[in-house]
Amino acid sequence: MNHTDSYNNKGFNVQQLINKLTDISHSENISKWDIGASFSEDISVQVDHGESKQLKGSQRNAITIRAWNNKGLVGTTSTTDLTDAGLIKALKGAKEASQFGNKNEIPDFSPLANSPIVQLNRPIGKRNTIKDLLELLKKAESDLLNSHEAISSVPYNGLSESYLERIYLNSAGAYRHINSTQSSIYLYAKCQEKGRKPRSSGSIRLSHSLDKLDITGCVNESSSKTLSHLNYSSIDTGKYLVCFTPEAFLDMIYAFGSIFNARSVIDGVSLSNRNSIGETIAYKNLSIYDNPLHQANIGASPFDGEGTPTSKICIVNNGILESFIHSEYTARQFGVKPTGHAGMGSKVSVGLDWLEISKCNQLNDELNYQHLNHNTYKDKFILIESLNAIHAGVKASQGSFSLPFDGWIIKDGEKVSIEAATVAGDIKYLLNNIIHIESTSKITHQGISPYVWVDNLSITGEV
């Protein structure tokens, strides 16, 4: 593979940017300001039966500036122009916008913006060309097509490489800086047998660098998962014992992340309220952590959009809601410290980062599962591989979901793919009707989770 160069000397000259902003703020009489900025360089390819389908390359930079006026109100502007003239215009714009700042909700610097952060020391990958990526993806597609005669195409695929640089600065001397690289591949195969409906499934892999990306594993998993859906049948509508794969359970928790989000609580769009901390919201053996600095999190950052250090926090402990995730403003409203989950903008967003789901009490859980599985359901259950149409099928503020899924019905040891079906219910019911959390967890691209078993969920089979 022909590497053109490394990612050295890319992105921002941070010291030069600090000097510029300091000089401009003094000349414009802006005593309090902060910025969040990012630089990215991305290349990606897609193929179709050995031919290039889409080749893309981009380089982006963006900066968001907040300025406080003498009344304490905040104005915000964004720009991609990092010249002296562009920065002057942006700072002036933020100062002018502060006259119209929201008096009822005034953000401030994070009290932790100058606190020490973890040094991640993650590897920076070498820089590759679009031609390099194209050759690798063509081979991956060919290997997947040749893995079985029933695999007719790989309609969705992509191989990408990116370099990202982020900084946070404020007038109180806070300075955060991180750069990282990431490579990713996704392969979504389609099987077509005569007289049968097409079946499909896929896989994704992430890595810090292209040479460490598990392309072979992605090919093999995509092939095996797709082929496992060839033998399919319809399913009767009813109540079933359901096992969620780690990927599917993580998708469900992320979809209802507003339960743990202090911003959503304040806005009145969460199932939780200000007094929910300490309440039992899930099965007693379930614990949920947000662990953004986990070694397996390829996109880890040691600070959030406000410069607050990120760290592992417990959200649900033994089924009890232990903590909300916070920005500076929401933490101040609740009388706690920011948790490192803030974005930056005219209205600061708050969001989950990288979830780690685990079980607590081994013995009680195993006995519960064995009794239910062997005495009630006689080894008949639904295994949900992936949830679809999450954005359309989830009403997070109401707690309800109705989601098409890919999966299998397992009966007396026989595994048969489900032709088409929907799982529906309420997230509170789901969390409280977990009857088994397996001991072994799986690392996915968006977190860690074991297989999770839920009793008596509604499954609607499609004719």
Side-chain angles (χ1 to χ4, degrees), residues 77-250:
T77 56
S78 297
T79 183
T80 59
D81 184 357
L82 300 185
T83 64
D84 289 356
L87 291 174
I88 290 172
K89 185 177 181 180
L91 267 170
K92 280 186 174 180
K95 181 181 179 181
E96 292 169 0
S98 68
Q99 299 177 46
F100 307 98
N102 184 355
K103 298 178 181 179
N104 298 318
E105 187 171 315
I106 303 176
D108 203 344
F109 292 164
S110 169
L112 304 178
N114 283 292
S115 299
I117 59 174
V118 173
Q119 299 301 313
L120 294 178
N121 297 319
R122 302 292 172 88
I124 300 297
K126 294 182 179 180
R127 190 170 183 237
N128 298 278
T129 67
I130 284 184
K131 182 180 179 181
D132 295 331
L133 269 64
L134 185 60
E135 291 174 353
L136 287 171
L137 187 58
K138 283 182 178 180
K139 183 180 185 305
E141 182 200 37
S142 175
D143 290 346
L144 185 49
L145 288 171
N146 292 330
S147 66
H148 196 278
E149 60 183 9
I151 298 180
S152 58
S153 64
V154 188
Y156 304 106
N157 61 76
L159 179 60
S160 66
E161 178 181 275
S162 63
Y163 170 82
L164 175 66
E165 191 169 344
R166 288 181 57 234
I167 62 174
Y168 173 81
L169 308 168
N170 70 28
S171 55
Y175 164 46
R176 310 292 201 197
H177 180 211
I178 185 176
N179 59 345
S180 63
T181 54
Q182 178 175 303
S183 295
S184 66
I185 184 171
Y186 68 91
L187 299 168
Y188 196 83
K190 176 181 174 184
C191 279
Q192 184 67 67
E193 290 185 312
K194 186 175 181 180
R196 303 281 282 172
K197 292 182 179 180
R199 309 295 285 169
S200 57
S201 191
S203 179
I204 185 172
R205 292 291 190 276
L206 302 178
S207 179
H208 291 291
S209 60
L210 188 62
D211 59 334
K212 300 296 183 181
L213 188 62
D214 184 14
I215 297 176
T216 300
C218 190
V219 170
N220 293 339
E221 183 177 68
S222 180
S223 176
S224 62
K225 286 170 68 175
T226 304
L227 295 174
S228 70
H229 289 291
L230 285 178
N231 176 29
Y232 67 86
S233 67
S234 60
I235 186 174
D236 293 333
T237 296
K239 300 280 189 176
Y240 289 85
L241 172 65
V242 172
C243 177
F244 289 90
T245 63
E247 294 87 349
F249 193 71
L250 283 166

Side-chain angles (χ1 to χ4, degrees), residues 203-335:
S203 179
I204 185 172
R205 292 291 190 276
L206 302 178
S207 179
H208 291 291
S209 60
L210 188 62
D211 59 334
K212 300 296 183 181
L213 188 62
D214 184 14
I215 297 176
T216 300
C218 190
V219 170
N220 293 339
E221 183 177 68
S222 180
S223 176
S224 62
K225 286 170 68 175
T226 304
L227 295 174
S228 70
H229 289 291
L230 285 178
N231 176 29
Y232 67 86
S233 67
S234 60
I235 186 174
D236 293 333
T237 296
K239 300 280 189 176
Y240 289 85
L241 172 65
V242 172
C243 177
F244 289 90
T245 63
E247 294 87 349
F249 193 71
L250 283 166
D251 278 341
M252 186 69 78
I253 299 301
Y254 277 112
F256 289 96
S258 59
I259 293 173
F260 321 116
N261 191 319
R263 176 75 266 173
S264 299
V265 172
I266 291 173
D267 291 343
V269 292
S270 172
L271 294 176
S272 301
N273 57 58
R274 288 175 177 266
N275 300 315
S276 292
I277 299 298
E279 291 182 355
T280 298
I281 66 166
Y283 175 53
K284 64 181 180 180
N285 276 6
L286 179 71
S287 288
I288 302 175
Y289 299 85
D290 198 340
N291 190 7
L293 300 181
H294 192 282
Q295 188 64 33
N297 182 11
I298 301 300
S301 174
F303 59 93
D304 71 359
E306 297 180 319
T308 301
T310 56
S311 62
K312 181 178 180 179
I313 67 166
C314 183
I315 300 172
V316 176
N317 185 20
N318 291 18
I320 298 171
L321 182 61
E322 186 166 293
S323 175
F324 291 134
I325 56 173
H326 288 280
S327 66
E328 177 282 324
Y329 173 78
T330 65
R332 192 159 21 104
Q333 301 308 302
F334 282 78

Side-chain angles (χ1 to χ4, degrees), residues 47-68:
V47 298
D48 184 7
H49 286 90
E51 299 295 328
S52 59
K53 180 180 179 181
Q54 188 176 74
L55 310 176
K56 294 172 64 177
S58 65
Q59 189 177 90
R60 301 182 181 92
N61 59 59
I63 185 169
T64 298
I65 299 179
R66 299 189 297 184
W68 283 255

